[in-house]
Amino acid sequence: MGSKVNKSHYGYFFIAPFFIGFAVFGLAPILYTLYLSFMKWDGFTDPVYVGVANYTRLLHDSFFYQTIWNTLIIWVFSNTPQLILALLLALILNEKFIRGKHFFRAVYFFPHIITPVTLGVIFSLMFDWQTGSINKLLMNLGIVHDPVNWFNSPWWSRIIASAVICWQYFGFNMIVFIAGLQSIPNEVYEAAEMDGATKRQTAVHITLPLLRPVFLFVFITSVIGGLQLFDAPLMLGDGPGNTSRTMVMYLYETAFKNFDYSYGAAVAYGIFIVVMFFTAITARASRLKE
Amino acid sequence: MGFHFKRLDYNLRQKGRSVLKTKNWLTMGTSVVLAASLLAGCGSNGSNGNNGGNTAGDTNGAANNGGSANEGAANGGGTKELSGKLVIWTFFDQVKDMADQFHAKNPGVTVDVKMFPGDQYQTKLLTALQSGRDVPDIFDLERGYIGKFIDSKFLTDLTAMGGDDLVKDYIPYVQELGRSSDNKLRAISDHSSPGGFWYQKDIAAKYLGTDDPDKISDMVSSWDKIVELGKKVAADSGGKEHLIQNAGDLFDIEAYNTQPWVKDGKLNIDPKWQTVYDTQQKIRQNNVDAKLPFMSAGWGNALNDGSVVLTSMPAWAGFMIDNKDDKAKGKYGVAKTPEGFYVGGTYRGIYDKSDNKELAYEFIKYIAGTEWQQHNLEKTGNMPGSGKVYEANVDTYKSAFFGDQNILKPYYESVKQMPAIKADKYGEDILSKWRKAAGDGITNNKSYDDVVKDFKKEVKNTFPELKLD
């Protein structure tokens, strides 16, 4: 055939900006972090090579293991209701005859526009022990007699952190689900209708299976995003006995509060491995079904 | 579509999902624009560093400077005219006034103040110092982390420049905190930060039966007295009014009235903390405190609405009082706490590799001097660092909030007695771990031994190099 692909070098110029940006702001810090993780460095003196000492310390660090566990709990608590809510709302708002559905789509998306830090601050004020509006409300309604010290309870701390995240992201996932729903061709529904399928049967046997790629996307992003939880929980604090401290919060505290940059770097790689592990499981699970 | 998304995920693992959403739209189409703007961003940052006087600093100063620098050079005779440009990094906006005052006195000097509010300041500063680029001539260090910087290679030895002379009349604790472990002066503060019990006079009259600062100081001269008085206030008000803000305030008051946390590489828990912890538990159990954390929103409200009788706070925290239309004028009094204390403090040092050390030293000299500290006291109510300024004002100084009360007197008496202790790199971090462990213990009514156990675990984790019993 002798067809020739045009291998002009100009193509590289067009893709260069991304790779330059990635090399400078992505790859270089990643490699530098790896280098630091084999050093001892507090930012004031010159780094000293210590081999795998930081990793040995990490392996025996019960605080780090606790943060993995905390992160997983917060992830489950935030994502389960979030995905259910997002899917339900998407199904409802995708109906043809719902009034004001554009309005509601916008409203449900609003929390996503606010920065997580702001949300964290708002929730921590709302749930404040002495002055929070939630306690005031509960006491006025006579549900509780004494103010509840929410952030003194491991489970409430985690639930509140989860609620912030759930509230922030359900709108975004809802939009993704709606997009997925709208990409399902109408013919399939029409055919089902012709065959006399009920609404329920249509939902279970047509809508959900055809939404699978979207589910996968939402699920994988939520695994990655969920394991990197940081800003909102940071504003809510570590919780009693560090029970709502996430992995990335621990990294932040180690590196940027205690200035233990080298151990912080090792923690970063520890987190990387944990995230890799869970992403691999997710990817594997999704492949099995195919 | 699913495939496209999945690929993106893997690439963006590091960036989280909020970025991902944007990336979907941006990745391919506008990566060029992005990269271009990033590069442009770097460029403009660089130039900011060079002529920041026009951006963050005092624009007046920069504008005036063009003419006056020349005049200064022409003047020649008489007093020595200073000229040049100083860059100061700080987290505190009152430094701008400092720069303005210095500039007014030395028109030939442009002082460019760059302010980085919030707790990112120290990370930013450390990064700049490490890289050695775009570094300030003078930088501010807060009490909370000065211990980490004080022995570093970044601070000029002020003793060698004659700095000891500047602080010879200083309050002992204030000058000592600016010294490195080899006793060289490395940083100087222009103020002291004594604390006391602030109270609203009418509230005190109602619950304590007097608004006289000396009588109130007597009524609260020991922690046992405070617990007893607190019980009475709670009972009289039906539990609505509290005597003090928080049992946790004792951490601040005792912080520098106890032994250092680390001695010879070993964790050292002053036995006094056990007594303090017992007091804190008594305070909490007897409803003496309002359980409001220092500087929280509820704390500020209580200070202004009087739902707490006595608020222990430093002299510099006057900005927390709502003084709209002068409504707080003469409304407050200040009494002595059972032990003297101070909270915070801002120190200023010179970057060791600055080309401008001599000029920077002149600036440090100015803020360590009586003229500035007098001005600052009158303008902001910040207490001086120099004992001389205290003494000059002790009988005359009046502050708007406090009516006729001579507030300098109780402050001066307690601040003079504060032990002079050097800052080390562990003290503040370990104190905050103690706060966390003991604070948790107070709330959950834990035994002292359990608190110590939790505390040691935290310390061991963060500072594995320290020896523990």
Side-chain angles (χ1 to χ4, degrees), chain B residues 17 60 92 139 187 251 256 261 270-271 344 362 364 379 411:
Chain B
R17 62 216 295 200
N60 287 338
F92 185 50
F139 51 89
F251 294 124
Y256 313 118
W261 286 103
D270 189 331
E362 291 299 323
I364 300 284
K379 188 172 170 189
Y411 283 153

Side-chain angles (χ1 to χ4, degrees), chain B residues 45 93 112 115 171 191 253 260 312 329 334 346 401 410 428:
Chain B
N45 268 344
D93 76 66
D112 175 11
M115 206 183 65
I171 302 292
H191 62 274
I253 297 175
S312 61
K329 217 174 165 184
V334 61
T346 305
F401 294 151
E428 293 296 304

Side-chain angles (χ1 to χ4, degrees), chain B residues 14 16 41 56 121 147 163 173 262 292 335 346 348 364 367 374 448 462:
Chain B
Q14 298 287 331
Y121 169 75
Y173 97 80
V262 174
L292 298 167
T346 305
R348 221 148 273 131
I364 300 284
I367 61 147
Q374 182 73 33
Y448 183 73
T462 308

Side-chain angles (χ1 to χ4, degrees), chain B residues 143 251 253-263 266-273 276 339 419-422 424 426-428 430-431 434 455:
Chain B
R143 171 69 188 96
F251 294 124
I253 297 175
E254 300 296 344
Y256 313 118
N257 286 312
T258 41
Q259 296 164 19
W261 286 103
V262 174
K263 271 186 179 170
K266 207 174 147 212
L267 180 70
N268 171 46
I269 306 176
D270 189 331
K272 190 176 175 189
W273 283 112
V276 174
E339 287 160 283
I421 304 172
K422 287 193 176 65
D424 65 39
Y426 297 113
E428 293 296 304
I430 295 186
L431 175 67
W434 178 256
F455 168 67

